[in-house]
């Protein structure tokens, strides 16, 4: 399965702009049958990439979004080149009806691009420590997922085109959403990183695998 995957935008020790992609992504998605094509944040156009008979787009995590998407608005812009490239990739994938898997920052960006907003998750009723797994409700099922983010999407910030399927009910935070119309699955957690609970690990792997291989999934209504 030919898969476009996005990367972090950063600079090296000399101040030169660079791309980076964690090896966890490579291992995890390669094991699911994805032939990964990392996309640079510094190319001038993206449309030609889809002529490779691409079957999946992955928008990865890492870093913050443009401050204008936040509520309340923040002044800074973290990765302007990445924002531009990922928006172009998202729009082209929608146009060509190619499935999109959005992880962490990628999930937040899809929500923002479709008219939603995001917030810094400070002052939650139930504290979520970075690196610790926490419970999320998928319907009647409780699944423990990892936590590597400081920003997120409250239920009332979710774009109208998106359907929440995983919710941190104690805090009213969306941990996963789907859109049949846009062929999109968004997850706030990182499936490519460690999840300690064995049954939760299996649940998440099956959710991701069913989506990318277009299998029946009870959360998509298929």
């Amino acid at each position: 399965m030919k898969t476009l995957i996005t990367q972090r935008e950063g600079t090296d020790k000399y101040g030169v702009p660079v791309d980076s992609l964690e090896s966890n992504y490579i291992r995890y998605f390669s094991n699911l049958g994805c032939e990964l094509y990392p996309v640079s944040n510094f190319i001038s156009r993206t449309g030609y990439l889809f002529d490779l008979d691409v079957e999946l787009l992955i928008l990865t995590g890492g870093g913050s979004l443009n401050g204008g998407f936040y509520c309340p608005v923040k002044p800074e812009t973290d990765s302007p080149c990445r924002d531009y490239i990922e928006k172009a990739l998202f729009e082209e994938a929608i146009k060509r009806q190619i499935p999109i898997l959005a992880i962490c920052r990628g999930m937040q960006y899809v929500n923002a691009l479709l008219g939603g907003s995001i917030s810094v998750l400070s002052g939650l009723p139930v504290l979520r420590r970075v690196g610790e797994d926490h419970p999320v409700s998928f319907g009647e099922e409780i699944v423990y997922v990892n936590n590597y983010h400081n920003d997120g999407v409250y239920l009332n910030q979710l774009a109208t085109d998106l359907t929440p399927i995983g919710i941190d009910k104690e805090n009213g935070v969306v941990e996963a959403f789907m859109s049949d119309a846009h062929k999109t699955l968004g997850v706030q957690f990182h499936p490519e990183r460690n999840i300690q609970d064995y049954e939760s690990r299996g649940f998440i792997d099956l959710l991701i695998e069913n989506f990318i291989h277009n299998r029946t999934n009870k959360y998509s209504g298929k």
Side-chain angles (χ1 to χ4, degrees), residues 74-119:
K74 300 195 306 182
E76 66 269 18
T77 297
D78 185 66
S79 305
C81 296
R82 180 181 184 180
D83 289 344
Y84 172 81
I85 291 297
E86 289 191 337
K87 181 175 185 291
L89 291 169
F90 176 74
E91 291 174 347
E92 191 68 23
I94 294 293
K95 187 168 97 174
R96 300 194 186 213
Q97 297 187 313
I98 292 170
I100 302 161
L101 174 61
I103 298 170
C104 198
R105 181 190 194 273
M107 171 189 150
Q108 297 165 14
Y109 199 20
V110 168
N111 180 58
L113 290 172
L114 293 176
S117 58
I118 60 178
S119 289

Side-chain angles (χ1 to χ4, degrees), residues 1 3 7 9 22 24 29 32 51 54-55 67 73 80 90 93 101 111 154 156 181 193 198 204 217 222:
M1 170 180 285
T3 303
Q7 305 185 74
E9 175 184 350
E22 293 178 21
N24 286 337
F29 288 106
L32 292 179
D51 295 334
V54 169
E55 299 173 77
V73 172
F90 176 74
L101 174 61
N111 180 58
Y154 290 106
N156 63 2
R193 295 181 183 174
Y198 178 80
I204 296 303
N217 192 304
K222 295 180 182 177

Side-chain angles (χ1 to χ4, degrees), residues 4 13 62 88 90 116 128-129 135 184 193 197:
L4 299 180
K13 64 180 181 179
F90 176 74
R128 302 302 185 204
R129 292 185 175 86
T184 299
R193 295 181 183 174
D197 180 70

